[in-house]
Amino acid sequence: MNIVISNESSLPIYEQIVNQMKNELIQGNLQEGDAMPSIRSLARDLQISVITTNRAYSELEKEGLIYSVAGKGFYVSHQNTNMLKEKKIQGIEEHMTQLIRECRMAQLSREDTIKMLTLLWEE
């Protein structure tokens, strides 16, 4: 698992961790029963506080994505990755709707917008 923290992101660090772990689940890089790094280990690796890592794990546990076993650590829960993927797609659709509004306000044609998207996609 490769988590990258960005100081330039507007998201709090714990949300960056949660989002990246969700992406790992969607992509199949984390499977049911996989052991998660310990809170201390992840905090040390990311050079962040244990409190921040604990907050991320608490959020993931609240959402039912991981569970804890006393004295052993955290593990990936059985979850419906299709539901996670659907939530991700829903968020993308919201962003794209906003971008389309902005393109229209800038008087970009549909074709120009599609060309721009295609160029950016291919980078």
Side-chain angles (χ1 to χ4, degrees), residues 5-10 13 16:
I5 302 299
S6 170
N7 293 327
E8 296 173 10
S9 174
S10 61
I13 293 171
Q16 292 180 50

Side-chain angles (χ1 to χ4, degrees), residues 64-80:
L65 301 174
I66 64 173
Y67 64 94
S68 63
V69 175
K72 294 197 177 200
F74 288 88
Y75 297 87
V76 177
S77 300
H78 172 74
Q79 68 277 322
N80 184 348

Side-chain angles (χ1 to χ4, degrees), residues 9-118:
S9 174
S10 61
L11 290 176
I13 293 171
Y14 81 92
E15 280 187 46
Q16 292 180 50
I17 295 168
V18 169
N19 290 340
Q20 290 180 53
M21 286 189 175
K22 285 180 180 179
N23 287 337
E24 293 287 318
L25 288 164
I26 291 169
Q27 294 169 3
N29 298 330
L30 288 175
Q31 301 288 323
E32 177 183 356
D34 284 353
M36 300 292 292
S38 73
I39 290 173
R40 289 180 191 270
S41 166
L42 185 60
R44 184 179 54 250
D45 291 347
L46 298 176
Q47 298 179 342
I48 60 174
S49 78
V50 172
I51 294 168
T52 301
T53 308
N54 188 51
R55 173 95 187 262
Y57 275 32
S58 292
E59 291 293 319
L60 291 165
E61 194 169 24
K62 264 193 255 182
E63 292 185 38
L65 301 174
I66 64 173
Y67 64 94
S68 63
V69 175
K72 294 197 177 200
F74 288 88
Y75 297 87
V76 177
S77 300
H78 172 74
Q79 68 277 322
N80 184 348
T81 53
N82 290 333
M83 185 57 116
L84 280 175
K85 194 172 192 173
E86 186 60 34
K87 285 182 183 179
K88 186 74 163 179
I89 291 170
Q90 197 173 32
I92 292 168
E93 286 174 351
E94 289 171 12
H95 287 301
M96 291 181 87
T97 300
Q98 180 60 36
L99 288 172
I100 290 168
R101 281 189 200 116
E102 291 179 28
C103 288
R104 287 179 177 154
M105 286 178 14
Q107 298 182 343
L108 286 173
S109 69
R110 181 175 186 257
E111 292 76 22
D112 288 341
T113 302
I114 291 170
K115 283 179 190 175
M116 187 185 306
L117 177 62
T118 302

